[in-house]
Amino acid sequence: MATNEPYREGAQTLIAQIRAFRQQIPKLQIPEPGRTRRNLASAASVPPEFIELISVTLRNSESLARNGADPDQSNDLMSYAEAYSPVADELESLAHFVRHSVTAAKNKAGSDALTTYALAQRLARRPETADLAPHVADMRRLLKRGRKAKAEPPAGTPAPTTKPTPKPVK
């Protein structure tokens, strides 16, 4: 079996580089456990024009300015969001492409293995290649192990009863 060390080392190098990106992204926040995007989505979906109007109003209204909202900070946050949203899109695309590549690699390896298994099954039936039979049995066992078995009823659940078939009356 081929070693995956070259791939593992390359992947670890990339992971380190990706984690180093974290240090380069200002205002990066790690979500709190249990807190989802849905918790943030309501206020985050306010139109940028609304935020700009609030900023202008805050600058021109002394009574509103007392509530602690800072129009400069709001403008800075909106600039940040506008600039870094494409970065998130690009990273999500990359993650999608990497996951697809992983699935494609597994698909090719699995397809090749299933083709070889089918050939081995046929060859194991021939007298001149009967030595493959134990290997085919091992392969079959491993394939069945990977499949999920039908769920059994919980312990203590009575087995379904079948009614006897009535005999026809003569």
Side-chain angles (χ1 to χ4, degrees), residues 23-170:
Q23 306 305 314
Q24 298 176 30
I25 301 173
K27 303 180 195 289
L28 183 70
Q29 295 185 17
I30 307 297
E32 297 173 24
R35 190 167 184 189
T36 63
R37 281 188 69 191
R38 191 178 310 156
N39 298 72
L40 305 174
S42 179
S45 62
V46 170
E49 298 83 10
F50 178 81
I51 294 173
E52 179 61 30
L53 179 59
I54 294 297
S55 293
V56 169
T57 306
L58 278 170
R59 290 184 200 285
N60 296 307
S61 173
E62 204 173 294
S63 58
L64 279 178
R66 287 184 267 186
N67 79 356
D70 180 356
D72 293 331
Q73 181 185 29
S74 293
N75 288 336
D76 179 63
L77 291 170
M78 290 304 290
S79 294
Y80 169 83
E82 186 177 325
Y84 278 89
S85 182
V87 173
D89 294 342
E90 191 64 28
L91 290 171
E92 286 170 352
S93 293
L94 178 60
H96 176 75
F97 299 155
V98 171
R99 288 196 194 290
H100 175 78
S101 299
V102 166
T103 301
K106 286 180 175 182
N107 174 274
K108 174 70 172 128
S111 181
D112 290 349
L114 289 170
T115 300
T116 302
Y117 173 58
L119 178 62
Q121 285 178 310
R122 291 185 65 141
L123 291 174
R125 292 186 196 116
R126 295 181 171 183
E128 65 270 18
T129 51
D131 62 318
L132 291 173
H135 300 292
V136 169
D138 289 343
M139 293 173 196
R140 185 179 305 114
R141 189 182 80 256
L142 286 171
L143 274 180
K144 286 183 180 178
R145 185 186 310 163
R147 294 187 182 149
K148 293 183 179 178
K150 290 184 180 180
E152 294 183 20
T157 304
T161 57
T162 56
K163 295 181 182 178
T165 315
K167 293 182 183 181
V169 179
K170 293 183 182 183

Side-chain angles (χ1 to χ4, degrees), residues 1-17:
M1 184 176 283
T3 179
N4 64 356
E5 281 306 310
Y7 294 117
R8 187 172 295 174
E9 290 173 16
Q12 284 303 120
T13 300
L14 285 173
I15 290 170
Q17 291 172 350

